[in-house]
Each structure stands twice: as structure tokens, then as C-alpha cells.
Amino acid sequence: VLQKMGTNCSICGRKLNQENDHLSSDCGGDCWGCIGEIEADMGGEYAIKQLREEFKAGLRNDWLPSPKVKFNKSSDVVEVCLKNPLGEPYVYENFELQLYSELMFKRTKVHFDKLVTTNLNGVVVIPINKKRNLKKDWCKVTRGDKIWTCRIEERVKPNK
Ligand SMILES: [Zn+2]
């Protein structure tokens, strides 16, 4: 059944398809303002490029790109990398970092929970015990009122 589209974004309530509001384009009932950010968070190349331009044009002053979390078995560390909306590293940026495991009955075990500061490359490096099963390990990054949660998993370099 085809539902009648609302005239407001179902996520943020913005009026859709307003000529004077570039971010109000209708993306299936949600505005491009919301959808673009979700797609960029998921690593969408087009969205990231587009959002960068919109940031430069002053349309997304509040945009904080999602952190990149890497785990490398051989080096035994979790790396959290913060980039600013222009794609440059956030240097000496403070944020709250939590590493935790999911247990049964929706309980969690916290392994790391501290305020950390990025280095000159915009990276924070945290040692992690590789003997543990990483399949149920998560990383939570908090910056102000924005929170990102992502799974810690080993990044395999794509073959090119
Ligand atoms: Zn919206």
C-alpha cells in the first residue's frame, strides 16, 4: 500500500521540498539534512563529499562526521580517528571514549571509560586484550550531545 507522504521530515520535522531550504529535499519522507548525515555516518562516499560542500557553504554548521574505529590484531590496539567536516584531523580534541562488551541478559562489561584527547593525527590509541572475543565488543564515542556507537572489528584491507 502506497502511503501518502507527509509534508514534514519524519525524523526532525523539517518542512520538505522548500525552495529556500537546500536540506529539505524529500528523501522518501525524510529530509536530506537527516538522510545525508545518516549516509555519511555509514561511510557513503557521495554523502560525505556532498556534506563537506554543504558545510563549506554554511548549511551544516553543526555537522560532526562520525569517528572511524579500527582494530588491528597484530598491533593489539583500538584506534579511534576523528576528522573534522573538511576531512582534516581533529587535533587535541577531547571526547569520552568507552569500550565495552555485550553480555547475556542485555548486561554490559565496561573495559575502558575515560576522557581522552586526540594526538596530532586526530587519533586516540587504546591497547586492548586480543585474547578476548571481539565479536561482541563495542566502542562508544561521546562528544557533547552526540553519541556514536560502533562495533569493534578487525579491518581487513581490501585487495586492489
Ligand atoms: Zn530531517
Side-chain angles (χ1 to χ4, degrees):
V1 182
L2 196 70
Q3 277 187 314
K4 194 172 176 286
M5 295 284 185
T7 51
N8 293 69
C9 169
S10 70
I11 300 170
C12 72
R14 184 198 294 262
K15 260 198 164 83
L16 295 176
N17 292 329
Q18 300 299 297
E19 247 173 59
N20 55 358
D21 182 0
H22 172 77
L23 303 185
S24 72
S25 323
D26 187 354
C27 304
D30 307 309
C31 74
W32 168 247
C34 292
I35 294 301
E37 204 163 312
I38 291 168
E39 284 182 3
D41 272 2
M42 293 190 309
E45 294 290 329
Y46 170 81
I48 291 170
K49 225 176 127 188
Q50 199 66 27
L51 264 63
R52 227 166 247 173
E53 293 307 314
E54 290 164 5
F55 178 83
K56 283 186 205 161
L59 297 170
R60 286 187 189 265
N61 295 322
D62 297 338
W63 180 42
L64 284 179
S66 60
K68 295 276 164 296
V69 177
K70 279 190 275 184
F71 171 67
N72 189 329
K73 251 186 192 165
S74 53
S75 59
D76 224 5
V77 294
V78 171
E79 279 182 35
V80 181
C81 176
L82 299 189
K83 288 202 171 153
N84 71 18
L86 300 176
E88 299 152 347
Y90 263 119
V91 178
Y92 301 139
E93 183 78 3
N94 292 319
F95 66 96
E96 285 171 58
L97 177 64
Q98 197 181 79
L99 305 176
Y100 64 94
S101 308
E102 275 183 347
L103 306 176
M104 281 197 289
F105 310 116
K106 292 185 176 171
R107 288 167 60 242
T108 55
K109 181 173 165 50
V110 176
H111 305 291
F112 183 93
D113 188 7
K114 272 183 196 162
L115 188 70
V116 292
T117 308
T118 58
N119 64 17
L120 280 168
N121 301 316
V123 177
V124 168
V125 181
I126 307 294
I128 191 164
N129 182 357
K130 69 178 171 191
K131 281 176 194 149
R132 289 205 340 261
N133 182 0
L134 283 162
K135 275 186 184 145
K136 287 178 176 176
D137 281 8
W138 294 81
C139 169
K140 187 163 107 177
V141 169
T142 308
R143 301 176 72 192
D145 55 4
K146 288 215 83 175
I147 298 171
W148 296 266
T149 309
C150 63
R151 200 175 269 266
I152 300 171
E153 52 194 351
E154 193 173 15
R155 288 292 153 92
V156 181
K157 277 187 185 163
N159 291 318
K160 275 191 179 166

